[in-house]
Amino acid sequence: MDLRWWTLLLLLKLTVAQSFPEQEKDPEYWRTQAQDTLKQALRLQQLNTKIAKNVIMFLGDGMGVSTVTATRIFKGQLAGKPGEETMLEMDKFPYVALAKTYNTNAQVPDSAGTATAYLCGVKANEGTVGVNAAAMRGQCNTTKGNEVESILKWAKQAGKSVGVVTTTRVNHATPSAAYAHCVNRDWYSDKEMPTDAVEGGCKDIAWQLIHNIPDIEVIMGGGRKYMFPKNTPDLEYPKDEKANGTRLDGLNLTQVWREKKPPNKVQCQRTTLLPHATNSLEILSAGLFEPGDLVYELDRNKTSDPSLSEMTTVAINILKKNPKGFFLLVEGGRIDHGHHDGKAQQALYEAVQMDVAIGLAGDMTSMDDTLTVVTADHSHVFTFGGYTYRGNSIFGLAPAPSDIDQKPYTSILYGNGPGYRMVDGNRENVSTVDYTKPSYQAQSAVPLSQETHGGEDVAVFAKGPMAHLLHGVHEQNYIPHVMAYASCVGQNLNHCKSASSGKSTEVSVTLLSIALAVRLVL
């Protein structure tokens, strides 16, 4: 390493070592902070046991605890602060739990089996959505009789409005578990299905979106190519063959949707979405803004592509018109994709944007009658370390090079993935590349074309009615049972008979019985 590099590292140490706020040198600052936190904790002894008129679930796909922490620092640094002291919107939630994410047949889970758990209340096999563990991935004949319903459907049956917002395809693993029953998460349209599955009567996920719960008030995300007949040019990218329609059955599912709900339209542009950001009486049924997944936030066309916050705002304004309330699922789905690509900057930008959406949702609703839950489906083998100093850029270097190969390394690293690179038989020297650009793939220990999920527990943040029921360590499938109990939908109705929305009711031992009775389908 040359003298210039050592000089840069020394200057970096001297700069960031003094970057923390001056007030933190005073022990009284920390004592006051702790006492204020204690007072807040004592106030939480007065539990909010009201009925939740509304439930909003934010799902950060792949947002493990290390991602939450890195997002917190990054959000603070975007605001010109050291970052570590920053409070995310989800950090402000009064109740936090941990969820065990394993699938019934997988120690390290996928997004389909986990979605079935936190939306349908039962654990399932990896790669399957909306079916129990007796259904086997890819085996069409194991579908019938093993379907399980989601909290979205429970809410709809109770007369509430429902919606799904995602930055992925609307027929991706997370959103599809809300409405579909499919033994293969990749059966987006009938083109992706084997012949025997089609002949066996199984339906693709896009078809199920239109038919299974036809009265979904809001569905927003990408995935429009799975709605159109094969080779139909895309409205936005007519010359891109990869964006063409994929369906082999010749159906135009957007037309089917419009015929089922004549007053409504399928939106494809941000400019046609934004009028709904106000309290318009018009109902938007579907917004399909890309042929596949939405574009990463860092690459988003701010004119034509809506942000997650904009979609969330529109969704709430539409759903809140129902006097009986609503259930809304909001997925920050491309956090996961950034990690799989080894592109930490893309992943953390996506996570920051989801946190912004959480804050906006909080401003539009009340903790008095709205239960909000923020969690992840699984983690990733993403980490940051290296004894970095306070205020070090989250995408920056560790303060000292490796004592083995004498080369620098970034604080952010992956356990495996596409960032594994060797040059002349040795680890790549990151000082020779631009590790600050969004497309940079952080170094990994094991070479893989795609980085993998992690198997550790994920955090569950909760606020609003009955939020205190999310505490300690739980199986992931416990989450929708709490949301259902809080909002009086599904099987959790006994405690609702003498209570109405906005009136207090004591926490019943019924929930404890339900929690104990929830059996994993092994």
Side-chain angles (χ1 to χ4, degrees), residues 141-388:
N141 62 358
T142 65
T143 306
K144 189 173 182 180
N146 293 319
E147 300 92 343
V148 289
E149 295 180 347
S150 75
I151 186 170
L152 183 140
K153 188 166 185 179
W154 305 339
K156 190 64 187 174
Q157 291 171 335
K160 296 179 181 291
S161 292
V162 296
V164 174
V165 171
T166 180
T167 53
T168 67
R169 287 153 278 183
V170 295
N171 24 39
H172 209 251
T174 296
S176 64
Y179 59 81
H181 312 288
C182 193
V183 292
N184 193 328
R185 57 173 286 179
D186 297 329
W187 291 352
Y188 304 121
S189 71
D190 58 347
K191 179 182 181 295
E192 290 77 32
M193 297 176 66
T195 302
D196 65 319
V198 175
E199 293 176 348
C202 284
K203 297 297 184 181
D204 63 87
I205 295 171
W207 187 95
Q208 293 189 56
L209 168 61
I210 303 301
H211 294 89
N212 284 8
I213 310 178
D215 294 327
I216 295 177
E217 279 78 8
V218 173
I219 182 81
M220 282 189 276
R224 64 177 176 247
K225 69 179 180 179
Y226 306 111
M227 315 293 273
F228 291 93
K230 184 179 179 181
N231 296 327
T232 303
D234 184 72
L235 300 173
E236 191 174 5
Y237 311 103
K239 296 182 179 180
D240 183 358
E241 292 185 0
K242 293 182 179 179
N244 287 354
T246 65
R247 302 198 64 80
L248 301 180
D249 58 13
L251 290 175
N252 179 338
L253 291 179
T254 63
Q255 182 62 35
V256 174
W257 186 281
R258 285 192 292 264
E259 291 172 354
K260 286 177 176 290
K261 301 173 76 67
N264 302 298
K265 299 179 180 179
V266 177
Q267 310 287 356
C268 296
Q269 290 283 322
R270 175 179 178 270
T271 52
T272 57
L273 173 74
L274 289 185
H276 299 273
T278 60
N279 288 318
S280 167
L281 293 176
E282 186 179 355
I283 298 299
L284 170 75
S285 59
L288 302 174
F289 302 107
E290 286 290 329
D293 300 320
L294 299 192
V295 178
Y296 281 121
E297 175 62 27
L298 272 173
D299 305 322
R300 180 172 66 88
N301 184 318
K302 306 299 190 293
T303 300
S304 61
D305 301 332
S307 68
L308 183 62
S309 294
E310 289 170 338
M311 292 190 293
T312 302
T313 299
V314 171
I316 293 175
N317 274 327
I318 290 171
L319 298 175
K320 71 180 183 181
K321 300 179 188 305
N322 187 338
K324 293 184 178 181
F326 64 83
F327 172 82
L328 174 63
L329 171 65
V330 180
E331 183 196 21
R334 303 220 67 192
I335 301 169
D336 177 72
H337 295 171
H339 280 324
H340 279 310
D341 288 342
K343 298 176 181 179
Q345 195 165 157
Q346 295 281 23
L348 296 189
Y349 260 103
E350 295 296 309
V352 167
Q353 288 305 306
M354 193 182 84
D355 197 62
V356 172
I358 292 169
L360 289 172
D363 292 340
M364 297 177 69
T365 57
S366 169
M367 284 181 60
D368 191 59
D369 68 356
T370 301
L371 171 64
T372 305
V373 176
V374 180
T375 188
D377 46 357
H378 54 74
S379 184
H380 276 267
V381 292
F382 162 86
T383 187
F384 67 99
Y387 301 112
T388 48

Side-chain angles (χ1 to χ4, degrees), residues 57 100 102 104 112-124 129-133 146-154 177-178 181 327 474-485 490-492 514-522:
M57 184 178 198
K100 298 189 286 185
Y102 67 92
T104 47
T114 50
T116 303
Y118 62 74
L119 289 174
C120 303
V122 301
K123 289 221 171 189
V129 292
V131 289
N132 63 39
N146 293 319
E147 300 92 343
V148 289
E149 295 180 347
S150 75
I151 186 170
L152 183 140
K153 188 166 185 179
W154 305 339
H181 312 288
F327 172 82
H474 300 293
E475 294 287 0
Q476 195 171 40
N477 66 294
Y478 171 71
I479 297 172
H481 289 269
V482 171
M483 294 189 295
Y485 184 90
Q491 71 185 78
N492 300 295
I514 293 170
L516 292 174
V518 173
R519 300 177 59 189
L520 299 182
V521 184
L522 299 176

